[in-house]
Amino acid sequence: MSIPLMTGSGSSMQQYRCANRCTWCDGCGDYGIWTAMQRALVELKIAPWQALLCYDVGCHGNMSDKLLGYRFHGLHGRVLPFAAGAKLANPRVPVLAFGGDGASFSEGVGHLVHAVRSNYPITFILHNNGNYGLTTGQASALTWQDQPMNAAPNGIPERTIHSMDFLFSLEPTFVARTFSGDIPHMTKMFAAAIAHQQHGFAFVDVLQACPTYNHFATHEYLLERCYDCNAEGHDPSDAAKARQLATADTSKRIACGILYQRTDLPHFYDRLVPRKDKKTTPAEEVEIVDTGKWLKRFT
Ligand code: SF4
Ligand code: MG
C-alpha cells in the first residue's frame, strides 16, 4: 500500500474501557467478540483514537457504545459502503466493519459481493449467530432450513445460503473462521485480519453463540466441533484445500483458523489511477472552498 497504516503508539484495554454497560443476554457470544476485538487492537498497539469501528444494525451493533474510540453505527445492511468510503478518505486509518448474518447475507448481500470483488482494504467481522437476534429470533438466510424459529415454526421454506461456498466463489484474498467461545483464537484471527488491510479485504466468519434464539448451533455444539486447522498444518495459500475445508460438512468438525490468504493482488485503492504515488490522503487534501461563486451562476 502506498500509504501505510497508522502504526500504534501503544494502547491498553483500559483505554478502550467505557462507562456504558453491555446489555446482551447472559451467555451471548458478543461478550467474547467484544473482548477479543479489544485485545487484538491492543496487541497491534492501535489506540482507540487511531482506528474506526463501523457497526451494522443488530445485537452486535450495541457494541458501538460499549467501548471507546471512533465508532459509527449505520443503517441495516449498509455498513460496508460506509467503511469503504471512510477508508478512501483516510487510508492511514485501520477500518473495521461488523455485521450480522441477517444484514450481510440478505439486506446487504450486494455490498458484501462488491466489497470482496473490489478487495477494499478493510476488515469485516461477521457475527454469525444464525438468526435475527435483535428482532427476537427470526430465521436469516444462514439459519438451517428445517429449524423452527420465531415467525417460522415449521422452518423456513427457502434453502439456506452456503455462505462459505458463496464467499469463495467471489475470489476473496483473506478468509478466516473462528468461534465466539474461544477468545484467544478470535484475538489471533482479528489481529491477522487487521494486518491484512495492507493487502485488501479480510473476511472473518465468527460462529457466534446466541443462547436465546439459536438452539441448533449452540455454544456446546460449536465447542465440540471447532478445531484449529492451522495447528493441524493447513497452509492458507492452498486455495483448493481452503475451499474444501471451508465448505466441508460441519456436522462433525468445523475448520477454524486462517483458511485462505493471498497477498499478491493490489487492493482497490492501489488500483485508483488518480491516487497513484500520492503521499497524502484525501482527508488531508480537503480545502475550504467558497461555493458561493459557483452558486451565483444559478441566481
Ligand atoms: Fe446475544 Fe442472541 Fe441475546 Fe442477541 S438475542 S443479545 S445475539 S444472545
Ligand atoms: Mg444474526
Side-chain angles (χ1 to χ4, degrees), residues 166-185:
F166 176 68
L167 191 78
F168 269 87
S169 73
L170 302 169
E171 300 183 25
T173 60
F174 182 101
V175 181
R177 184 158 59 192
T178 184
F179 159 49
S180 66
D182 188 343
I183 291 173
H185 190 261

Side-chain angles (χ1 to χ4, degrees), residues 24-25 28 59 129 133 208 210-213:
W24 299 301
C25 310
C28 177
C59 292
N129 62 7
Q208 181 193 331
C210 168
T212 305
Y213 297 116

Side-chain angles (χ1 to χ4, degrees), residues 8-242:
S9 54
S11 72
S12 66
M13 294 291 277
Q14 184 69 27
Q15 284 179 301
Y16 280 94
R17 191 160 296 167
C18 170
N20 295 337
R21 305 186 72 152
C22 296
T23 54
W24 299 301
C25 310
D26 287 353
C28 177
D30 277 325
Y31 289 102
I33 301 172
W34 174 70
T35 304
M37 180 48 64
Q38 293 172 76
R39 283 194 186 177
L41 290 163
V42 169
E43 267 183 22
L44 294 171
K45 302 191 185 335
I46 297 171
W49 55 270
Q50 291 177 309
L52 175 66
L53 311 179
C54 308
Y55 294 88
D56 211 297
V57 170
C59 292
H60 78 278
N62 291 335
M63 200 181 295
S64 67
D65 64 351
K66 308 299 185 302
L67 73 179
L68 294 184
Y70 290 107
R71 293 142 298 149
F72 169 83
H73 199 163
L75 298 174
H76 202 197
R78 313 298 168 207
V79 71
L80 281 168
F82 178 86
K87 185 73 176 186
L88 176 60
N90 191 348
R92 291 190 213 286
V93 174
V95 174
L96 288 88
F98 302 81
D101 50 298
S104 308
F105 284 89
S106 287
E107 291 85 353
V109 68
H111 298 307
L112 179 62
V113 167
H114 296 291
V116 178
R117 71 180 270 266
S118 301
N119 203 23
Y120 292 140
I122 59 178
T123 300
F124 180 62
I125 309 295
L126 178 71
H127 288 246
N128 186 357
N129 62 7
N131 79 103
Y132 286 94
L134 188 68
T135 50
T136 69
Q138 292 78 21
S140 76
L142 303 195
T143 306
W144 298 358
Q145 187 176 22
D146 297 324
Q147 182 62 35
M149 299 294 291
N150 286 346
N154 302 309
I156 49 171
E158 301 93 342
R159 277 177 290 146
T160 306
I161 290 179
H162 198 318
S163 55
M164 277 299 194
D165 209 18
F166 176 68
L167 191 78
F168 269 87
S169 73
L170 302 169
E171 300 183 25
T173 60
F174 182 101
V175 181
R177 184 158 59 192
T178 184
F179 159 49
S180 66
D182 188 343
I183 291 173
H185 190 261
M186 280 193 290
T187 304
K188 211 158 55 165
M189 294 302 104
F190 293 164
I194 296 168
H196 186 79
Q197 286 190 28
Q198 298 286 356
H199 307 292
F201 188 75
F203 179 95
V204 185
D205 182 10
V206 186
L207 303 176
Q208 181 193 331
C210 168
T212 305
Y213 297 116
N214 181 329
H215 303 300
F216 47 102
T218 61
H219 173 89
E220 292 73 18
Y221 178 96
L222 296 168
L223 186 63
E224 279 169 17
R225 289 163 177 78
C226 287
Y227 71 98
D228 186 338
C229 66
N230 304 125
E232 292 193 6
H234 171 57
D235 171 5
S237 68
D238 184 340
K241 181 71 180 168

